[in-house]
Amino acid sequence: LDIEDLLDREPVAPNPQLLGRNIREKTVLITGAGGSIGSELCRQIAAQSPALLVLLDHSEYALYTIHHELDALKTKGLHACELVPILANVRDEARVLNICKQYRPHTIYHAAAYKHVPMVEANPGEGVLNNVFGTLNMVKAAIANQVKDFVLISTDKAVRPTNIMGATKRVAEMILQAVAASTTSPFSSSKDAAEAPWQSPTRFSMVRFGNVLGSSGSVIPLFRQQISKGGPVTVTHPEVSRYFMTIPEAAQLVLQAGAMAEGGDVFVLDMGEPIKILEIARRMVTLSGLSVRDETHPDADIELIFTGLRPGEKIHEELLIGENTSSTEHKQILRAREEYLHWPDLQNQLQSLMNATCSNSLPTVKSVLNQLFSEGTLKYR
């Protein structure tokens, strides 16, 4: 089974000139380096000849795996960059500040996040602490250490979110947007400094993904496992559709978007039309050399069953909140400018969100998030 056969379109080719612009001969830090997206970022960044590649992850095994792989590639002469594996959690503000102070990265790719919708729905406090306040910690560390470029890996689920995971990623986006637009220092403890004219030394940008084929927890590994066991293959709803991209496309989008950032930008990839999950399931069965069992083919190999939408799950996803888009140096990458809260307003909401999170109560967390979101739409001020 070739994952690209499931796309129903040609993979988007990268612009080689953009890939290495923020990487070549520079120090690069990747959070979530051992994850599906983070590890592919590591592979592609290593190929662009950075001077130093700092791999940060809180999972010892994931960090060991990607470091071991990159080390082997270096031994084979496939890249020459120095590798630094760091076991750390982005929720530890002092730790990430010290890491940035020690290694002084030019570029940060922030991929560390909890991303599984049902899991975050069941553990809202952990989702908020990791996705929102982990991002805030990295933003503070970047500004304090004069990092030039910072790219947040976000998701289409952040658009008019209907679940905790999507809401936390949208709040993470809002942090970057507010800080990028701020004209006074957002993190100064001095009143005079906080009121003085200020411009961020860091260019902040965000990349929104559709569903990434083959990433951990995606439908592809699940369907593959179910097919290998003879079925049934489980689909939540017959009409559920998603935008899909491959892992290499996702990583290349991140690198190219960061190279084109102006500050506060949201980048999305033109992925064509969304595809029904049911169609993905059918294709996977067929490409595996098997047949789909239904009323007209009762003796076929694999049955498809519908399990119902999970809490917070949408029938269809979107990539953009508004219509304010423009073209970029890459014809299939769009830049969007979207509404956001000014930093003083957002800062107050973040404090309320932290207090609610400490209560470990889903209703309380949702109540605070609903001060930012109403029926899945950001409350503009």
Side-chain angles (χ1 to χ4, degrees):
L1 173 65
D2 188 341
I3 281 182
E4 290 186 359
D5 291 337
L6 302 173
L7 271 184
D8 200 28
R9 61 174 173 80
E10 289 296 316
V12 176
N15 179 340
Q17 294 182 337
L18 293 174
L19 290 176
R21 186 177 291 175
N22 289 345
I23 296 170
R24 199 161 292 121
E25 299 181 356
K26 296 177 171 64
T27 296
V28 178
L29 168 65
I30 305 172
T31 71
S36 303
I37 303 303
S39 59
E40 180 64 19
L41 277 172
C42 291
R43 297 180 193 103
Q44 297 207 24
I45 288 170
Q48 296 299 322
S49 304
L52 178 68
L53 184 52
V54 182
L55 317 172
L56 189 154
D57 206 294
H58 78 282
S59 166
E60 182 187 34
Y61 178 71
L63 185 61
Y64 162 78
T65 301
I66 187 59
H67 180 249
H68 180 75
E69 177 186 336
L70 294 177
D71 213 27
L73 292 174
K74 185 175 182 179
T75 300
K76 293 177 182 178
L78 297 178
H79 74 83
C81 68
E82 182 182 351
L83 304 170
V84 179
I86 296 182
L87 198 59
N89 195 320
V90 295
R91 286 163 53 169
D92 187 336
E93 181 177 359
R95 177 86 166 111
V96 296
L97 183 66
N98 287 335
I99 290 167
C100 289
K101 183 177 181 180
Q102 180 176 356
Y103 294 101
R104 294 285 176 175
H106 177 281
T107 305
I108 292 176
Y109 297 103
H110 181 45
Y114 291 139
K115 66 174 188 175
H116 301 299
V117 170
M119 191 65 71
V120 177
E121 204 71 17
N123 299 274
E126 292 301 303
V128 169
L129 289 173
N130 199 64
N131 296 359
V132 175
F133 292 101
T135 298
L136 181 60
N137 291 340
M138 292 305 304
V139 167
K140 289 180 178 179
I143 289 175
N145 291 283
Q146 304 288 305
V147 172
K148 297 300 181 186
D149 286 283
F150 185 112
V151 184
L152 168 70
I153 285 73
S154 191
T155 169
D156 54 5
K157 293 174 179 61
V159 178
R160 284 177 272 276
T162 57
N163 51 65
I164 297 294
M165 192 283 284
T168 61
K169 293 299 285 185
R170 179 62 187 129
V171 176
E173 290 181 354
M174 291 165 65
I175 290 171
L176 268 68
Q177 291 169 321
V179 170
S182 182
T183 56
T184 56
S185 178
F187 307 121
S188 176
S189 57
S190 164
K191 183 178 179 181
D192 290 340
E195 293 176 351
W198 179 85
Q199 184 176 6
S200 172
T202 307
R203 243 188 328 259
F204 292 102
S205 60
M206 296 137 275
V207 176
R208 285 203 192 120
F209 288 169
N211 282 32
V212 181
L213 290 169
S215 63
S216 66
S218 72
V219 294
I220 305 305
L222 174 63
F223 287 172
R224 183 183 283 122
Q225 181 185 52
Q226 291 174 335
I227 291 168
S228 71
K229 292 181 178 180
V233 171
T234 57
V235 179
T236 58
H237 189 283
E239 296 301 318
V240 164
S241 67
R242 295 290 183 264
Y243 290 97
F244 282 98
M245 62 201 308
T246 65
I247 292 178
E249 279 183 324
Q252 290 161 6
L253 173 60
V254 171
L255 303 189
Q256 294 173 100
M260 298 185 290
E262 297 172 355
D265 328 61
V266 176
F267 292 95
V268 297
L269 184 70
D270 181 358
M271 291 174 282
E273 295 300 315
I275 306 172
K276 285 186 177 182
I277 302 294
L278 178 58
E279 180 60 27
I280 291 283
R282 289 183 178 278
R283 285 185 203 171
M284 286 190 66
V285 172
T286 303
L287 289 169
S288 299
L290 302 170
S291 55
V292 175
R293 187 188 312 158
D294 54 28
E295 292 180 358
T296 57
H297 303 88
D299 298 323
D301 303 304
I302 302 292
E303 181 184 12
L304 303 181
I305 63 173
F306 299 108
T307 58
L309 291 175
R310 299 170 296 182
E313 190 174 22
K314 291 181 181 179
I315 295 286
H316 307 293
E317 296 287 1
E318 306 167 89
L319 288 170
L320 295 168
I321 295 173
E323 301 295 329
N324 186 10
T325 61
S326 58
S327 59
T328 66
E329 292 177 56
H330 192 296
K331 64 180 181 180
Q332 287 177 275
I333 299 177
L334 294 175
R335 173 191 280 111
R337 296 282 184 178
E338 297 183 341
E339 297 286 349
Y340 60 91
L341 285 180
H342 293 294
W343 176 250
D345 296 325
L346 181 59
Q347 190 175 31
N348 291 334
Q349 299 284 15
L350 290 175
Q351 185 58 58
S352 298
L353 186 58
M354 174 60 82
N355 295 339
T357 301
C358 292
S359 72
N360 198 32
S361 165
L362 177 58
T364 307
V365 171
K366 281 188 172 181
S367 174
V368 175
L369 287 173
N370 281 335
Q371 296 176 40
L372 292 167
F373 301 91
S374 176
E375 297 181 355
T377 305
L378 179 65
K379 285 184 178 178
Y380 303 126
R381 291 194 174 187

